[in-house]
Amino acid sequence: MSALGLADRRREKGAVSFSGSWEDVLRANWRLRIANRVLVEMAVWDGSTAESLAAGAGRLVAGAKDWDGLRAADLFAPQRTLVIRATAAGSQIRDTRWVGLKVKDGIVDAQRRRFGRRSSIDKQNPDVYLRVRLSQDRATLLLDTSGEPLDRRGYRMMTSEAPVRENLAAACVLAAGWQGDGPVVDPMCGTGTLLAEAAAVATGLPPGRLRQRWAFERLPGFDAALWHRVRKEPIPAATERVHLIGVDQSPQAIEAATVNLAKAGLADSSTLRVGDGYEFDPPPGPGLLIVNPAYGERLTENREQWPRLGDLMKQRYKGWQAVVLAGGEGLGKHIGLRPRRRIPVRNGPLEARILLFDLY
């Protein structure tokens, strides 16, 4: 986020917050590789009871609040359809459906009083995406400016049993601090997500370049010219081209990786083959070895794979950087090499670790 020049950055549980303008919101949606959504905080109020939840939402609609030019009267105009999603933790009210219902009631009742009619609820394609987070009896209403999650890049046309999410794959690459030097090898490449994200980071490809729709485009006052300028901004890149090499024992996985990398615009940069990644001889390095071995729900975990992976790294990838997304029993502790850093993450519902190695 520092590369975007965002101010007042703060780490929070499961999120990073910042202060900024609508231009910053557009740029964050376009360029953030690890984020899932970009949310704008609209209001915080007491949510200890159903009545207080509804009253706080109603005051927001009835008031004259302005978020850098976006007025409450325009955002909550009744011709705009809404959807409200809720989460709750550590509060007296625990039923998320009830939380969402009470906030919705507060909004539409206030609309009737202010405008004489209310918005319709559209769960599939609303004009305004709202999220309410109830924590420690405090309600926070958030405007979702992304809509579809940002990890859905648009290049994954074919998938596998449990592929790594695109934003987690990008996190693996960014955590390594890799500067785009040398080839990228994934000896268990699956459908190619790690390779695609490595190439995007190294060559400065915008993560959202294939997306067709964004929630902010339907907000009142959306500046199409500003959005065009943001998309034309150059993104710092370490290299103009990177060589991607993927190996997998599954012909179906290699077929999927071929389709996906082509959709991502990386067909000419990719060499993919069916085979045993443990037997693959990489090209001259150094480069980046990046791998997500099978574990947990993805496939039945083979405990012997971890020391075997460690031997592979020591014997065939000397001088390389390596990133292992490790989960399952031991979280990769049995690789037999000491990582320079361990980063705890979630791979969907599974606990995992990003393990970073400098191989000498």
Side-chain angles (χ1 to χ4, degrees):
M1 294 183 73
S2 59
L4 274 64
L6 301 174
D8 300 326
R9 299 185 303 275
R10 298 180 298 278
R11 291 186 180 181
E12 301 179 5
K13 187 176 180 180
V16 176
S17 63
F18 66 90
S19 299
S21 64
W22 285 107
E23 180 175 350
D24 294 318
V25 169
L26 301 184
R27 190 172 291 112
N29 271 288
W30 181 240
R31 291 177 53 175
L32 288 179
R33 300 185 187 278
I34 301 177
N36 194 45
R37 299 178 185 278
V38 179
L39 307 172
V40 175
E41 183 178 297
M42 307 181 69
V44 181
W45 70 92
D46 172 56
S48 57
T49 66
E51 292 75 15
S52 61
L53 273 173
R59 286 193 296 272
L60 185 63
V61 176
K65 196 162 184 179
D66 183 292
W67 300 272
D68 191 29
L70 177 60
R71 301 185 306 144
D74 296 327
L75 182 65
F76 293 106
Q79 67 268 25
R80 297 188 178 278
T81 57
L82 309 172
V83 69
I84 302 172
R85 312 290 187 194
T87 61
S91 300
Q92 297 180 61
I93 302 175
R94 301 179 182 178
D95 187 334
T96 57
R97 290 175 297 179
W98 185 248
V99 172
L101 177 63
K102 290 293 102 182
V103 171
K104 184 268 294 180
D105 288 346
I107 289 173
V108 298
D109 288 347
Q111 285 180 314
R112 289 191 185 98
R113 291 191 293 269
R114 182 168 188 172
F115 304 108
R117 58 193 182 97
R118 53 157 286 182
S119 290
S120 298
I121 302 299
D122 184 343
K123 296 182 179 180
Q124 301 303 319
N125 190 30
D127 296 316
V128 179
Y129 292 77
L130 297 172
R131 292 180 172 268
V132 58
R133 181 176 62 212
L134 185 62
S135 178
Q136 305 299 320
D137 290 331
R138 298 290 292 171
T140 302
L141 190 65
L142 302 159
L143 175 64
D144 184 347
T145 67
S146 304
E148 187 176 26
L150 296 177
D151 65 284
R152 298 177 188 172
R153 310 284 205 234
Y155 62 75
R156 194 151 67 188
M157 308 302 292
M158 297 179 66
T159 189
S160 62
E161 184 177 352
V164 61
R165 291 170 62 179
E166 292 91 323
N167 54 354
L168 180 54
C172 291
V173 178
L174 292 171
W178 176 60
Q179 296 300 309
D181 300 324
V184 182
V185 175
D186 184 347
M188 307 171 193
C189 70
T191 59
T193 304
L194 287 167
L195 295 173
E197 293 300 319
V201 170
T203 62
L205 292 175
R209 65 192 182 278
L210 298 178
R211 286 176 62 114
Q212 299 299 313
R213 295 192 302 176
W214 307 79
F216 57 72
E217 293 177 306
R218 302 180 71 166
L219 296 177
F222 167 65
D223 189 336
L226 175 61
W227 176 224
H228 178 77
R229 291 198 300 272
V230 167
R231 286 182 293 162
K232 291 299 181 182
E233 293 173 349
I235 297 177
T239 183
E240 293 183 359
R241 183 179 174 86
V242 63
H243 185 196
L244 308 175
I245 303 171
V247 181
D248 202 284
Q249 295 189 69
S250 166
Q252 292 78 19
I254 292 298
E255 179 187 2
T258 301
V259 171
N260 294 342
L261 290 169
K263 179 66 174 179
L266 300 168
D268 293 341
S269 302
S270 306
T271 302
L272 303 171
R273 65 183 66 180
V274 177
D276 185 347
Y278 291 110
E279 301 298 327
F280 173 70
D281 285 320
L288 177 69
L289 170 67
I290 188 165
V291 59
N292 175 30
Y295 58 85
E297 295 178 0
R298 181 164 173 248
L299 287 171
T300 301
E301 182 175 358
N302 177 4
R303 296 181 184 179
E304 298 302 318
Q305 73 179 340
W306 300 110
R308 192 179 180 194
L309 178 59
D311 291 341
L312 174 70
M313 293 159 64
K314 288 184 289 186
Q315 295 169 7
R316 303 197 181 200
Y317 292 89
K318 290 182 180 180
W320 290 52
Q321 290 177 271
V323 185
V324 179
L325 181 58
E329 185 177 342
L331 296 170
K333 293 180 180 178
H334 305 299
I335 287 177
L337 296 172
R338 184 184 298 275
R340 63 177 168 85
R341 189 179 179 192
R342 296 181 177 90
I343 304 174
V345 294
R346 303 289 299 184
N347 188 4
L350 304 176
E351 183 181 5
R353 296 287 185 275
I354 298 174
L355 305 180
L356 307 177
F357 300 88
D358 293 323
L359 304 177
Y360 300 106

